[in-house]
Amino acid sequence: MSKVQIAGPRGLMEEALEFLEEAGDFQTEAESTGLSEKDMERLRRPPAEGRAAAEKAVLDALRRKFHELLGCLPRAGEEGGPLEPSRAVRDLAGTVDGHLADCRMLLERKKALEKEAEDLRRHSPFLRTVGRLLEGVRESGHLEFVALSLRRPEDLPRVRELFSRMTKDRFELISERAPDGTEVLLAVLPREEAGAVRAALHEERLPELSFPSRFARMKLPEKVAYVTERLSQIRSEWETVNGELLIFSRRWRPVYREARDWLLGRLALLGAATSVFRTDMCFLLYGWMPSEDAEPLRVDLERRFGGAVVLREEEIREEDVDRVPVLLRNPPYFQPFELFTRLLPLPRYTSYDPTPFLGIFFPLFFGMMLGDAGYGLLLMGVSLWMAKRFRARPKVRAAFRILLVSALYAVVFGALYGEFLGGLGHNLFGLEPLWMSRREAVLPMLAFALAVGVFHVLFGLSLAFVTALRRGRGKEAAYRLFSVLAIAAATLFAASALGLLPELLQKPLLLTVLVLVPLMVITGGLLTPLELLKSIGNIISYARIMAIGLASVLLAYAANRLGGICGDIVVGILVGALLHAVNIVLGVFSPAIHSIRLHYVEFFGKFLEHGGKKFEPLHKPQEREAETWKKP
Amino acid sequence: MEEALMALAAALAVGVSALATAWAQSRIGAAGAGAVAEKPELTGTVIVLLAIPETMVILGFVVAAMILFAE
C-alpha cells in the first residue's frame, strides 16, 4: 500500500474526485497527513462543509424516496432515458411524492387482492367437494345443509351417531375425501333441528367450517358459487392492477433509476469532499492506494488534467503504520482461499496475508485426511459441476474451487495409500499402496502426521521471527529464534528416545533444550516455558490428520464389508453405496473443519496479528433495490 | 487377560475423552449459536472455539493407538 498526496487547482476539485471515483482504487484519509492541527483547521474551511452538509441532507432524502419507488415497481424498461440526470433530479423531486402515493396505493390494492384470494383458496378444496355432494341433493325450503370437514376420518361414526341421536334418524349424510386429504361431510336435516345440531357439534369440538364474514350468511349452495365467481373476479382485478403498474414502470422506472444512480454518485462525492483540504486557490487530498496502481493513476491524472492535478507518493511514517488499510490481493489460484481468510478479522498491515499459506497447506491436509482416490474423483466431478452451475455467485463458486483442489490432493494421497472407495480398488483392480496402507501402518501414519505438525508449527514460528526482525524488534526476534531451535531440539530428542534417531544424540539435544529455555525466559519473559509446552501441544494436535483419516478409511472398508455380506448383489450395492455416500459427506466436512482449525489455531496463532483496517476506495456506489414485487 | 485389559484401557482412553469433548462442545455450541445469531461476523471465531475441545478426543485416540499398536 502507498500513501499518496493529490493536489490541484480548487476549480478542478469535483472533477478530480469524480475521476478518482471512476478509477476506484483510492481511499481518502484526512488523518494521516502530517499537517499540524492548526494547519488542518485553517485548510478545512467550515462554511463550505456546511453547504455540503445541507445539500447532502436534501439529496439523501430524495435518494430514499427514489429507492422506495424503484423497489415497488416491477422490472420493465431498463434502458436509460435521454434526460440530463442533474436536471431530471430537480424535476423528479416535484413528482416523486405523487408517484410514490400512486404506487403505494396500487401495491396495497394488489396485496389486498392476493390476501382475499388466499383466504378463498383455503376453503376451495372443501367447497369443491361439497359442491359435488350438493349435485345429488334436491333443495327444499324445509331442509338445512350442514357441512363439516373432518381431519380424522375415524371420527365419522361418532358424527353419524350424533346426527342420529339429535334428529331421531331424520337426516341424510354423505361424505367424500377432499383433495387435501380431509373427509368432507354434507348432512341434510330438517330446518328446525339445525340449530340444536350445530350447538351439539360445537360442544363435541366438531364445528362447521367458518367462512369469511362476507359470505357467512349465505346458504351453502350460494357459498360454493360465490367462491368460484369471486376467485375469477380477483384474478381479473389483479391483472388490471398489474397492467397499471407495468405501464407506470415502463414509463418512469428508467428515469428514476438513472436519477437515483446520479444521486448516489453525487452523495459519494459530497462524502469524499469532506476529507479534502482546500484553500481559495487549490485542493489537497491525502489517502492510500495499492502501490502497483499509483504510477498508472499518476500518468492518467496528468493526461486527463494536462498536468494541473498531480499525484505524489509519500513515505509511510511509523505512526501511520496502524492506519494503513489492508487489501487482500492474490494470484488466481489463491483467490478462492480468501474465503477462509475473511472468516477471521483482517490481518494487520505489518503482518502476513495468510491466504497463500492456506492455499498451499489446506488442500494438502484435506487430501492427507480423506486420502481416497474414488472419493476424490467423485468430489472433483461434483465440484466442477457446481462451480459451473454457480458461476454467478462468487462465494459459492470459490468454495467449490477450493473443494476441487482439495479433491485433487485426495486422489494423489489415495494413490499413495492404495485406497479407491476403501478396499474396492484393491479387490477389483488389484490396486496396491504406492507408499503405505493407512489401515495397517497406524503408528507410522501417526509419526508422519506429527512430523507434518512439527514442520507447520516451526514454519509459523519462523514467520513470526522474520516479522519481528523486519520491524526491528531484536528481543522478540531472538525469542522467536530460540523457540524454533528449542522445539526442533525437543522434537529430535523425542525421535531419538523412540529409537528413530541414534541414542547418542539424546544428551546433546537435551543439553540444547536446557540451554535454550533460560535464554527464552530472558528474551520472552517468565511465561515462555509455558509457551513451549503450548507449542508441543499444538504439534500433537496434528495427530488428528491420522485419526480422521483412519476413521474415514475404516468406514469405507465397513461399507464394502456390509455390502458384501448382504447376500444379494442389488441390495449389497445399495447398502454399500449408501454407506459410501454417508462417508463422502463426512469426508468433506470433517477434514475441511479440522484442516481449517489446524490453520486458525495451531498455525496462525504463531505469527498472525489481527486487527487490520479494510481498504475502502472511493467508487461509484451500487444500491440494490428491495424486491417488493412478485412475478405474476 | 492382559489383552483384554489393554483393550479396556484403550476403550477408556477414547471413550472418556470423547465424553469430555462432547460435553465441552455442547456448551460451546449452545453459546456459539447464540453469539452467531446476534453477530454473524463471529462465525469464524465460533468454528475455531467449537473445534478446540476435539483435541481431547484426538489425544485419547493417540493414547489408545499407542496402547494397542506400540510394542
Side-chain angles (χ1 to χ4, degrees):
Chain A
M1 204 55 76
S2 286
K3 183 180 172 186
V4 299
Q5 180 189 351
I6 296 172
R10 174 75 191 269
L12 291 176
M13 185 184 87
E14 286 208 2
E15 213 178 321
L17 279 173
E18 258 176 60
F19 183 80
L20 292 171
E21 199 181 77
E22 287 288 335
D25 54 5
F26 176 79
Q27 177 184 323
T28 58
E29 201 198 304
E31 303 302 320
S32 57
T33 56
L35 293 171
S36 68
E37 277 295 315
K38 202 175 158 191
D39 285 341
M40 278 164 74
E41 279 304 310
R42 197 161 54 83
L43 290 168
R44 274 234 168 89
R45 300 180 68 84
E49 277 180 15
R51 274 202 302 277
E55 187 186 351
K56 202 173 165 201
V58 172
L59 294 185
D60 206 37
L62 261 183
R63 179 196 60 82
R64 275 200 294 276
K65 284 180 188 172
F66 287 7
H67 182 68
E68 190 188 340
L69 184 64
L70 285 164
C72 74
L73 290 177
R75 293 182 190 279
E78 294 298 311
E79 291 191 10
L83 296 169
E84 197 267 307
S86 59
R87 225 179 115 187
V89 168
R90 272 201 301 277
D91 296 340
L92 290 175
T95 58
V96 66
D97 287 328
H99 284 160
L100 206 49
D102 290 349
C103 192
R104 278 188 195 135
M105 192 197 72
L106 285 170
L107 267 189
E108 270 163 27
R109 177 82 192 118
K110 197 169 147 258
K111 271 187 196 151
L113 287 169
E114 276 165 4
K115 190 174 179 317
E116 193 186 343
E118 201 184 310
D119 285 348
L120 291 176
R121 273 194 210 104
R122 216 173 33 240
H123 300 298
S124 61
F126 171 80
L127 286 170
R128 262 204 306 277
T129 313
V130 170
R132 264 201 306 280
L133 293 174
L134 274 173
E135 281 166 18
V137 179
R138 196 159 46 84
E139 216 179 326
S140 154
H142 304 291
L143 297 176
E144 181 78 25
F145 297 101
V146 173
L148 290 174
S149 165
L150 297 181
R151 285 219 180 115
R152 297 187 310 163
E154 57 269 27
D155 283 341
L156 188 57
R158 191 157 65 98
V159 176
R160 191 179 287 278
E161 195 268 318
L162 185 142
F163 272 98
S164 170
R165 184 161 39 88
M166 298 294 296
T167 62
K168 295 183 182 65
D169 283 332
R170 292 188 303 152
F171 76 102
E172 193 64 51
L173 191 114
I174 39 182
S175 69
E176 195 178 312
R177 186 65 60 89
D180 62 354
T182 55
E183 192 75 20
V184 172
L185 311 181
L186 180 68
V188 188
L189 65 162
R191 171 150 291 181
E192 60 274 15
E193 311 278 5
V197 169
R198 281 192 175 111
L201 282 170
H202 188 75
E203 262 178 42
E204 289 285 319
R205 299 195 177 187
L206 295 165
E208 265 191 298
L209 200 73
S210 59
F211 291 96
S213 54
R214 273 187 311 283
F215 61 112
R217 288 176 185 279
M218 294 175 193
K219 287 181 181 171
L220 202 56
E222 288 167 1
K223 283 176 188 169
V224 177
Y226 173 81
V227 168
T228 320
E229 195 187 324
R230 183 67 194 136
L231 273 173
S232 136
Q233 270 176 14
I234 288 174
R235 178 81 201 158
S236 142
E237 280 177 47
W238 193 88
E239 295 282 350
T240 313
V241 176
N242 233 5
E244 279 177 46
L245 268 169
L246 273 171
I247 291 168
F248 185 82
S249 185
R250 272 195 206 105
R251 188 169 170 197
W252 289 104
R253 192 180 158 84
V255 184
Y256 275 106
R257 200 183 154 83
E258 211 160 278
R260 194 268 319 263
D261 288 348
W262 181 86
L263 271 182
L264 286 174
R266 180 78 195 147
L267 282 166
L269 268 186
L270 287 172
T274 54
S275 56
V276 182
F277 297 97
R278 56 208 120 162
T279 64
D280 291 332
M281 305 296 287
C282 68
F283 75 91
L284 194 61
L285 196 55
Y286 283 91
W288 304 98
M289 65 185 305
S291 302
E292 61 271 28
D293 296 342
E295 184 54 24
L297 184 67
R298 192 190 64 75
V299 174
D300 286 349
L301 278 170
E302 197 173 308
R303 195 180 305 142
R304 172 80 165 74
F305 297 101
V309 177
V310 291
L311 180 149
R312 197 179 71 183
E313 281 189 62
E314 293 214 327
E315 188 195 353
I316 298 177
R317 293 166 293 151
E318 186 60 30
E319 58 265 36
D320 288 331
V321 167
D322 288 339
R323 278 200 293 262
V324 184
V326 178
L327 169 70
L328 300 180
R329 194 182 262 185
N330 286 289
Y333 169 79
F334 293 121
Q335 265 169 21
F337 293 93
E338 285 175 8
L339 202 67
F340 291 143
T341 313
R342 287 178 209 281
L343 278 179
L344 294 178
L346 277 174
R348 287 164 79 97
Y349 182 66
T350 45
S351 188
Y352 287 93
D353 174 5
T355 314
F357 305 125
L358 267 165
I360 295 166
F361 292 112
F362 177 85
L364 185 75
F365 293 168
F366 184 97
M368 283 166 67
M369 285 188 234
L370 187 59
D372 187 298
Y375 292 168
L377 286 171
L378 268 168
L379 288 175
M380 276 175 78
V382 170
S383 45
L384 268 174
W385 177 64
M386 294 294 264
K388 207 172 166 186
R389 199 176 157 201
F390 290 101
R391 198 174 294 167
R393 295 173 65 183
K395 280 188 182 169
V396 182
R397 192 164 170 242
F400 282 106
R401 279 175 65 189
I402 295 173
L403 185 61
L404 178 67
V405 182
S406 308
L408 184 69
Y409 275 83
V411 175
V412 173
F413 277 95
L416 291 174
Y417 301 148
E419 286 171 31
F420 185 95
L421 299 179
L424 208 63
H426 175 74
N427 296 341
L428 295 180
F429 323 113
L431 189 72
E432 291 294 337
L434 292 175
W435 181 34
M436 64 172 154
S437 165
R438 284 196 288 182
R439 209 163 61 103
E440 285 146 19
V442 176
L443 282 184
M445 259 314 287
L446 179 62
F448 172 61
L450 292 179
V452 170
V454 171
F455 172 76
H456 208 217
V457 168
L458 287 183
F459 182 50
L461 284 171
S462 308
L463 288 172
F465 164 68
V466 174
T467 309
L469 210 61
R470 271 181 19 201
R471 295 202 69 183
R473 296 176 182 166
K475 206 171 168 187
E476 194 190 329
Y479 162 63
R480 298 287 181 194
L481 184 66
F482 294 143
S483 304
V484 172
L485 294 175
I487 290 171
T491 313
L492 291 174
F493 176 77
S496 168
L498 289 169
L500 298 169
L501 288 172
E503 208 182 318
L504 219 65
L505 287 171
Q506 282 185 27
K507 263 189 186 168
L509 285 169
L510 193 62
L511 211 64
T512 314
V513 175
L514 289 176
V515 171
L516 286 168
V517 170
L519 287 175
M520 282 171 70
V521 173
I522 293 166
T523 49
L526 279 173
L527 289 175
T528 44
L530 215 62
E531 280 289 314
L532 191 65
L533 282 178
K534 201 176 130 195
S535 295
I536 291 169
N538 288 157
I539 292 168
I540 295 174
S541 182
Y542 284 76
R544 71 187 63 227
I545 294 179
M546 176 275 268
I548 308 285
L550 193 61
S552 164
V553 64
L554 290 181
L555 203 58
Y557 271 84
N560 294 337
R561 191 81 187 276
L562 279 173
I565 60 172
C566 275
D568 183 292
I569 189 158
V570 180
V571 179
I573 288 173
L574 275 176
V575 168
L578 192 73
L579 282 172
H580 277 303
V582 171
N583 201 17
I584 287 179
V585 174
L586 289 176
V588 173
F589 283 105
S590 201
I593 288 180
H594 283 277
S595 182
I596 202 77
R597 176 231 140 99
L598 285 177
H599 283 87
Y600 283 178
V601 181
E602 273 79 19
F603 184 52
F604 290 175
K606 295 280 168 285
F607 68 96
L608 199 66
E609 293 171 38
H610 296 290
K613 262 173 61 182
K614 195 180 169 196
F615 176 62
E616 286 172 311
L618 276 177
H619 65 280
K620 268 227 149 112
Q622 300 275 317
E623 197 166 65
R624 282 183 64 135
E625 285 138 36
E627 286 281 344
T628 54
W629 174 258
K630 277 194 277 181
K631 280 184 182 169
Chain B
M1 182 63 186
E2 198 187 342
E3 225 171 82
L5 281 175
M6 279 167 70
L8 184 67
L12 279 175
V14 176
V16 175
S17 55
L19 283 174
T21 298
W23 181 76
Q25 284 194 327
S26 71
R27 305 288 298 267
I28 297 170
V36 170
E38 292 216 354
K39 287 190 172 180
E41 66 271 19
L42 290 179
T43 309
T45 317
V46 168
I47 289 175
V48 172
L49 289 176
L50 197 58
I52 282 175
E54 279 180 18
T55 310
M56 281 190 279
V57 69
I58 301 278
L59 291 177
F61 181 82
V62 171
V63 170
M66 292 178 90
I67 291 171
L68 292 177
F69 301 105
E71 285 173 12

